[in-house]
Amino acid sequence: MYKVLFVDDEPNICEGLKLIIDWESEGFGIAGVARNGSDALKQLESTAVDIIITDVRMPEMSGIELIKKLNETRNGAKVIIISGFSEFEYAREALRYGVRNYILKPINRDMLESTVRSIKKELDHERTNERSLKKQENFIREKLLVQLVKTGAWDQTDYDVGGWGKILTDSTCCVSIVLFGDNRYADCTPREMKYGISKQIVKEIMSNTLEKHKCGYVFEPEQKDLLGALLYSGEYDMSYIKEVVLPELYTDIQHVTSGEIIIGLGNEAMSAAAIPESYRNSCRAAKWQGLVHGAGIAIYDNMEMDCNSDSAWDHSVLISKVRQCDEAGILHEMERLSHYADSLQQPNKVLYSIMIGIFMELATIMNEIGGDLKTILDNEIDAGNVSANNDVLQQVAFIEAACVKTAFHIKEKCGGFDHDVLNHIVQYVNCHYNTDLNLAILSNKFFLNQGYIGKLFKKHTGMGFIDYLNGVRMEKAAKLLEEGYLKTYEVCEEVGYKDLNYFYRIFKKFKGVSPAEYKKTVRMRKFS
């Protein structure tokens, strides 16, 4: 609803203006009444209005002086003058300053109503354009932010998007994430409500809070169970963000959801190239918070973990043994880890880092089957006592207990290996559909035979791997075409195709029309 302010030194005129038009049905609320130009300016310091209806001759400050001040301060309110004086000089002066109409008293209701309706159309048009431009700017900026946290690089021309590039380059930055503690949230759409709230609403809350403090921008990473924000120092230092902004953001989100929310803050990044590391560390801190402490705020710099201590010991084989419910294989890997620890000068710290990585992988597995690793940790190893100060034997025992128990839950929940591993592969494909994916890559990633993976897709989805991948890409392509911000060849590249002709053929196969026809249909549907 738009706001209107009445300015006249005669109270009965102001009262009459309130009644002469049904302002609410016209889409306006009455913001207030001022007795002269000075009073109006004072009210405008705390109240934004869209229309000002003012008299000309008033004590202290006239209507013409008020209009001059509004122009000097670039106030965008539309002005209508009402006056008992028909001198042409007043009207000429008013029109010079862009006044929308000069109406003589007694006020002609039809003339005032017609002017107000004309202004409302103009305001509607401006608001639509403003929203469209802001939406487009947010879309472009978010796309660039996702690229920035992945690669640590952006093009100089990206700075032009709302001036935000310059803000970031002139500030210290770090990445924060909001992690939804239950992966069921990953499938939530704006139309669905999980925990009584949609992901889009959380995103809006984050945007509003960061905009209020002028310290960051929100983006939606490829991982479906989290939202990200690139924070910058701006007017404040990073301690303000840690002590004020993050607690306020956590409280704002908690007010509208009963689900477990974890906020993670990565390390400070002094350059664009360091931003991906800050993002990884924010994820790491949040996931570790969820495993050991549950809901809350996790600041990477305050946690007893050392990212640089990631060792050469590869735990992917151990994780594959857990997925296969191979207890003997798990014990063999634990023996290998113990031998590795014996070769280290400071094994406690390195093993602690390895344990964090393993526990996070196990948490992902447990989420896939509807379980909770935190429960296992609390029951089996007393997670509250896990720290870098534990000796080597304790840490190896912690890892072994968690792995064996997770394997047991997989076997108990899924009754086999096929369904679980396919879910994991499908999740990977859904997140990495726009990369150069094939069965060979999946085979290396999941330590499984290519033919076996192909059979899994056919058995459980009813289609081959290529058809499934093309289906995912086409749904993403259709969504991008509907949004209308990218050209067709850009959509083609965005969803993972290098050959535009091939993209056209596949799109028509899945959607029944060409991309151009699809865009035209969507456009017609919007304006019909």
Side-chain angles (χ1 to χ4, degrees):
M1 182 172 284
Y2 300 111
K3 298 293 182 183
V4 59
L5 174 68
F6 304 133
V7 188
D8 199 303
D9 59 327
E10 296 183 52
N12 61 319
I13 295 293
C14 291
E15 289 303 312
L17 284 170
K18 291 179 183 178
L19 301 172
I20 195 171
I21 293 177
D22 185 350
W23 292 101
E24 187 173 349
S25 67
E26 295 293 340
F28 289 88
I30 298 172
V33 172
R35 63 184 180 277
N36 55 51
S38 298
D39 187 21
L41 288 176
K42 189 174 181 181
Q43 291 191 38
L44 290 171
E45 289 177 4
S46 57
T47 305
V49 303
D50 302 286
I51 294 182
I52 297 173
I53 300 179
T54 181
D55 191 8
V56 174
R57 290 188 180 181
M58 295 175 290
E60 291 189 37
M61 182 183 288
S62 71
I64 298 298
E65 290 174 299
L66 170 62
I67 298 164
K68 287 179 182 178
K69 291 288 186 183
L70 293 175
N71 274 267
E72 288 171 8
T73 58
R74 297 183 181 275
N75 186 297
K78 320 296 182 186
V79 180
I80 301 171
I81 282 185
I82 52 171
S83 176
F85 301 90
S86 58
E87 290 96 330
F88 177 70
E89 187 58 36
Y90 283 141
R92 185 173 68 177
E93 188 79 358
L95 293 172
R96 207 177 100 200
Y97 287 104
V99 170
R100 298 315 163 100
N101 206 345
Y102 191 102
I103 301 173
L104 293 175
K105 298 176 182 177
I107 300 167
N108 182 300
R109 180 183 179 280
D110 291 339
M111 183 180 291
L112 179 60
E113 191 175 73
S114 173
T115 303
V116 167
R117 288 177 178 174
S118 174
I119 291 175
K120 183 176 182 297
K121 285 183 181 178
E122 189 177 335
L123 290 170
D124 287 343
H125 182 69
E126 288 176 1
R127 183 170 287 186
T128 300
N129 286 345
E130 185 180 327
R131 285 174 177 169
S132 178
L133 287 171
K134 188 169 183 180
K135 186 177 179 182
Q136 187 170 4
E137 180 185 314
N138 289 343
F139 176 83
I140 295 171
R141 182 174 60 222
E142 184 171 342
K143 193 172 162 54
L144 294 172
L145 285 176
V146 171
Q147 187 67 18
L148 181 60
V149 298
K150 284 172 66 177
T151 66
W154 57 17
D155 191 280
Q156 292 290 327
T157 56
D158 298 343
Y159 294 170
D160 297 334
V161 184
W164 66 279
K166 187 175 187 309
I167 292 174
L168 296 183
T169 52
D170 292 345
S171 309
T172 300
C173 299
C174 63
V175 180
S176 178
I177 66 159
V178 174
L179 178 67
F180 306 101
D182 189 325
N183 262 7
R184 289 175 296 173
Y185 195 92
D187 298 323
C188 185
T189 68
R191 293 180 181 275
E192 296 172 328
M193 303 302 279
K194 304 285 179 77
Y195 307 135
I197 187 171
S198 79
K199 191 173 185 180
Q200 189 61 34
I201 292 175
V202 176
K203 193 173 180 181
E204 288 173 11
I205 290 171
M206 291 175 67
S207 296
N208 292 339
T209 303
L210 298 184
E211 189 174 329
K212 170 186 168 184
H213 293 281
K214 296 183 173 60
C215 66
Y217 301 105
V218 180
F219 63 93
E220 194 166 343
E222 292 176 348
Q223 294 92 323
K224 292 183 179 181
D225 59 344
L226 58 86
L227 288 167
L230 184 58
L231 307 178
Y232 59 87
S233 51
E235 299 177 12
Y236 315 103
D237 58 20
M238 280 297 167
S239 62
Y240 178 84
I241 289 175
K242 294 174 183 177
E243 295 166 13
V244 177
V245 178
L246 291 185
E248 181 180 325
L249 179 60
Y250 183 81
T251 302
D252 289 345
I253 297 173
Q254 284 293 91
H255 279 160
V256 293
T257 176
S258 58
E260 183 179 275
I261 299 295
I262 300 165
I263 295 180
L265 182 70
N267 57 291
E268 293 183 16
M270 307 308 292
S271 66
I275 287 175
E277 181 186 11
S278 180
Y279 173 65
R280 288 192 296 271
N281 289 338
S282 68
C283 293
R284 201 171 195 192
K287 289 181 179 179
W288 188 239
Q289 170 78 18
L291 288 176
V292 178
H293 305 293
I297 299 173
I299 297 173
Y300 177 79
D301 291 339
N302 296 346
M303 302 185 73
E304 26 173 36
M305 59 170 69
D306 181 4
C307 237
N308 295 321
S309 68
D310 283 342
S311 67
W313 198 82
D314 182 7
H315 61 253
S316 58
V317 176
L318 172 62
I319 296 302
S320 71
K321 298 301 180 185
V322 173
R323 287 186 171 280
Q324 295 169 34
C325 309
D326 181 356
E327 188 171 344
I330 292 171
L331 297 178
H332 174 75
E333 286 302 302
M334 297 314 303
E335 186 178 346
R336 193 168 68 86
L337 178 58
S338 296
H339 289 316
Y340 174 77
D342 290 340
S343 69
L344 300 172
Q345 290 184 346
Q346 293 182 315
N348 298 51
K349 198 172 187 181
V350 176
L351 272 181
Y352 184 72
S353 179
I354 292 171
M355 180 166 60
I356 291 170
I358 291 171
F359 281 4
M360 288 179 183
E361 294 270 13
L362 296 179
T364 299
I365 294 172
M366 288 299 293
N367 281 333
E368 289 170 5
I369 62 173
D372 180 14
L373 182 65
K374 189 175 186 303
T375 303
I376 293 178
L377 297 182
D378 289 341
N379 292 339
E380 299 294 323
I381 64 176
D382 189 7
N385 292 325
V386 174
S387 75
N389 296 321
N390 298 129
D391 62 36
V392 172
L393 289 176
Q394 281 180 308
Q395 293 194 50
V396 171
F398 289 162
I399 297 170
E400 181 179 315
C403 289
V404 170
K405 201 67 178 177
T406 301
F408 173 79
H409 275 274
I410 292 173
K411 190 179 291 185
E412 187 180 57
K413 187 81 175 179
C414 300
F417 174 59
D418 282 8
H419 190 265
D420 174 60
V421 78
L422 180 68
N423 282 342
H424 197 63
I425 294 172
V426 165
Q427 187 178 43
Y428 183 83
V429 172
N430 290 345
C431 288
H432 299 82
Y433 64 90
N434 55 352
T435 62
D436 187 17
L437 269 186
N438 54 48
L439 287 175
I441 289 172
L442 294 178
S443 175
N444 291 330
K445 170 75 179 174
F446 295 98
F447 304 98
L448 295 170
N449 179 274
Q450 292 184 43
Y452 177 67
I453 296 174
K455 287 178 181 177
L456 279 181
F457 268 94
K458 195 70 177 175
K459 177 181 176 182
H460 294 284
T461 69
M463 63 181 77
F465 166 71
I466 294 299
D467 286 338
Y468 181 85
L469 176 61
N470 282 334
V472 172
R473 287 174 168 175
M474 289 306 105
E475 290 305 313
K476 301 292 183 181
K479 185 177 179 182
L480 290 173
L481 289 170
E482 288 171 16
E483 289 170 346
Y485 297 119
L486 300 180
K487 296 178 180 177
T488 302
Y489 76 89
E490 292 174 319
V491 172
C492 169
E493 294 171 357
E494 184 69 21
V495 299
Y497 293 105
K498 297 176 182 177
D499 186 332
L500 185 58
N501 290 330
Y502 181 71
F503 170 72
Y504 268 85
R505 289 201 307 274
I506 298 299
F507 191 91
K508 191 162 187 178
K509 175 184 174 183
F510 276 80
K511 296 297 180 181
V513 292
S514 69
E517 291 169 329
Y518 187 83
K519 287 174 74 173
K520 184 178 179 182
T521 302
V522 169
R523 197 178 302 116
M524 289 174 64
R525 198 161 55 231
K526 281 183 179 178
F527 294 101
S528 61

